[in-house]
Amino acid sequence: MTATSFDKKRIKILLLEGVHPCAVEALKADGYGNITELKHALQGDELARAIADVHMLGIRSRTQLTAEVLDKANRLMAVGCFCIGTNQVDLDAALTAGVPVFNAPYSNTRSVAELVLAEAILLMRGVPEKTSLMHEGVWQKSAADAFEVRGKTLGVIGYGNIGSQLGVLAEGLGMNVIFHDVVRKLNLGNARQIDDLDELLQSADVVSMHVPATDATANLMNGARLARMKDRAVLINASRGNVVDIPALAARLRDGHLLGAAIDVFPHEPRSNNEPFVSELKGLRNVILTPHIGGSTQEAQENIGREVAEKLVRYSDNGSTRTAVNFPEVALPAHPGQHRLLHIHRNTPGILSAINQALSDANVNVSGQYLQTRGDVGYVVIDIEADYSRDVRAALAAVPGTIRTRVLY
Ligand code: NAI
């Protein structure tokens, strides 16, 4: 991390929802010791009161950070979502308030890939059905419909972080890997890209979905595509719930066209552990059902804790907003021996020249300037020689359209 000499103890940090301890370690290791930790989520007025004088806030998925709450968080500099999704935060309101929001989108890639690989093996051996029969006292020793995965073809739909890692692991088991993606991808190992999705479906013994939820992927595996899959193939979906037509899948499992399926994500998922799970797939013995736990491992939680804490530290130390989900992204070099002015402002014509005029009036020597805009908000970072009039910050704050300013040194 960049060496800085401002008093980090003054940066007040609140971590809610039992964020992993490694996040606290990472923050403390960088000098950010003013941390309050709560095990639970806060909502509404209670949340607004708790964050009124907080500089950095860490949440997971249950804290609803609404525009009303953000409006009362006068000192808030940044939010870390210690999870994958960020729809619990009003991202536009955060942007307008000059608050970047960070998350950890890829920390659980390996966890998903491992689960999918295990499921491919179990399904190809008919284990879900056999284990459920044994729980009912039925001993059915047979090699019928039981196959090794070695030499079989894995068809990955969506060759991104998870799909490509799964491909590498599957090749380690001796599988042939083909993949379909909407963009041209550099293949890892011997994996082969197939432009025609139907061709992949007709060739793969195991089809695994790893696409995002978009208009184009909604019901991507519809009845017609399921019918094009090889006879006695298996389908795995640990991506998003609406990419597979579940009633159509249930029909293809019942009529024996497919050997089995493993489904981790559903069109309608219970919002809490207290709600019942409803699905046409319930009761089908050749289906592995899991409650959206593809990425839920201790290792992933730890990775998330470390990754988001590091992003908060990098922003606070250095001003870098790289990978922020809602904010102009600026990746910045270290600024040894210099002061760095951060200026977040309404993206209106003339504001940059007003900022530069203020710097020029103060006779400040600028050694670097970085600007990015996103929607209505602009973010400019200015590196200056340490020897300057401290009035310059007030001059910058007085520029019409300024949302917030900070000085790093
Ligand atoms: P990624 O963004 O790295 O990869 C997605 C890939 O899908 C990209 O290569 C993209 O070009 C491709 N793609 C997009 N539209 C497509 C289409 N119509 N047809 C074919 N390919 C298409 O995403 P990542 O990290 O690999 O995640 C994949 C999915 O897994 C996401 O939906 C994510 O939300 C989900 N996920 C599920 C978890 C779980 O707990 N079950 C945990 C983590 C991720």
Side-chain angles (χ1 to χ4, degrees):
M1 286 297 134
T2 318
T4 42
S5 52
F6 63 86
D7 185 6
K8 295 184 181 183
K9 295 270 181 319
R10 289 178 53 202
I11 304 282
K12 234 179 140 178
I13 301 174
L14 176 64
L15 300 179
L16 301 177
E17 303 187 58
V19 163
H20 196 281
C22 73
V24 178
E25 278 165 33
L27 290 163
K28 285 190 174 158
D30 213 85
Y32 293 90
N34 188 350
I35 302 173
T36 305
E37 289 177 80
L38 293 181
K39 286 269 170 255
H40 52 278
L42 297 175
Q43 309 294 356
D45 289 345
E46 201 184 1
L47 176 61
R49 275 196 301 278
I51 65 173
D53 62 346
V54 157
H55 297 98
M56 297 206 279
L57 174 67
I59 60 172
R60 292 173 68 192
S61 55
R62 289 195 307 276
T63 301
Q64 298 299 317
L65 211 48
T66 61
E68 294 73 43
V69 170
L70 283 164
D71 193 43
K72 294 178 187 135
N74 298 321
R75 300 201 173 156
L76 196 59
M77 245 163 56
V79 171
C81 293
F82 288 81
C83 50
I84 314 294
T86 51
N87 39 12
Q88 71 280 36
V89 180
D90 187 329
L91 295 176
D92 288 338
L95 171 68
T96 309
V99 176
V101 177
F102 299 96
N103 68 338
Y106 304 119
S107 298
N108 55 10
T109 298
R110 171 73 187 208
S111 305
V112 180
E114 279 192 15
L115 181 69
V116 168
L117 195 64
E119 290 175 335
I121 296 172
L122 294 174
L123 290 168
M124 293 290 280
R125 297 291 290 270
V127 169
E129 190 158 12
K130 288 179 175 109
T131 192
S132 111
L133 283 172
M134 284 189 74
H135 280 289
E136 291 164 20
V138 180
W139 180 267
Q140 206 171 86
K141 183 172 160 62
S142 160
D145 275 338
F147 307 96
E148 293 183 349
V149 293
R150 176 174 54 166
K152 303 297 181 301
T153 299
L154 168 69
V156 176
I157 303 180
Y159 195 68
N161 284 278
I162 297 172
S164 57
Q165 181 151 165
L166 171 66
V168 171
L169 296 177
E171 280 196 348
L173 286 172
M175 297 188 82
N176 306 312
V177 179
I178 55 178
F179 65 88
H180 172 76
D181 202 292
V182 280
V183 293
R184 182 120 320 262
K185 291 279 174 150
L186 182 68
N187 64 318
L188 300 181
N190 294 318
R192 207 157 43 84
Q193 183 154 6
I194 307 261
D195 292 334
D196 181 2
L197 177 56
D198 286 347
E199 188 184 332
L200 177 142
L201 296 175
Q202 283 153 13
S203 316
D205 302 288
V206 177
V207 172
S208 194
M209 313 294 298
H210 298 287
V211 290
T214 65
D215 289 346
T217 60
N219 264 348
L220 186 62
M221 287 307 284
N222 56 23
R225 294 215 169 89
L226 289 166
R228 275 178 217 127
M229 283 176 68
K230 258 173 101 168
D231 200 31
R232 310 301 277 156
V234 306
L235 178 74
I236 301 176
N237 182 22
S239 61
R240 279 295 173 257
N242 66 345
V243 309
V244 175
D245 179 340
I246 296 290
L249 172 65
R252 303 275 68 183
L253 289 160
R254 277 203 193 89
D255 69 16
H257 173 60
L258 297 183
L259 188 62
I263 306 293
D264 185 49
V265 287
F266 303 87
H268 304 290
E269 296 182 3
R271 271 169 302 175
S272 78
N273 288 351
N274 302 322
E275 280 182 31
F277 167 66
V278 181
S279 171
E280 289 86 347
L281 298 172
K282 272 169 64 180
L284 292 175
R285 285 194 168 130
N286 50 349
V287 180
I288 299 175
L289 295 172
T290 45
H292 202 147
I293 42 92
S296 306
T297 62
Q298 291 303 309
E299 289 83 356
Q301 287 305 314
E302 202 172 321
N303 290 340
I304 288 168
R306 195 165 300 114
E307 181 176 337
V308 178
E310 281 171 4
K311 286 177 179 176
L312 289 173
V313 164
R314 203 180 310 122
Y315 177 60
S316 182
D317 277 5
N318 156 294
S320 171
T321 50
R322 212 170 65 74
T323 76
V325 292
N326 67 330
F327 212 74
E329 281 195 57
V330 180
L332 296 163
H335 55 108
Q338 295 190 316
H339 283 210
R340 176 166 280 175
L341 307 174
L342 313 184
H343 191 274
I344 303 168
H345 51 260
R346 306 257 167 266
N347 183 17
T348 47
I351 192 151
L352 206 57
S353 60
I355 290 169
N356 285 328
Q357 189 61 53
L359 295 170
S360 159
D361 291 348
N363 218 12
V364 165
N365 191 14
V366 173
S367 54
Q369 196 171 56
Y370 315 85
L371 168 75
Q372 278 298 336
T373 61
R374 181 160 171 164
D376 294 338
V377 172
Y379 178 38
V380 65
V381 178
I382 306 146
D383 286 346
I384 59 176
E385 302 304 331
D387 179 19
Y388 65 98
S389 156
R390 297 304 184 251
D391 295 341
V392 74
R393 184 171 175 190
L396 287 178
V399 169
T402 298
I403 298 174
R404 89 184 42 223
T405 60
R406 258 185 92 206
V407 183
L408 304 179
Y409 50 88

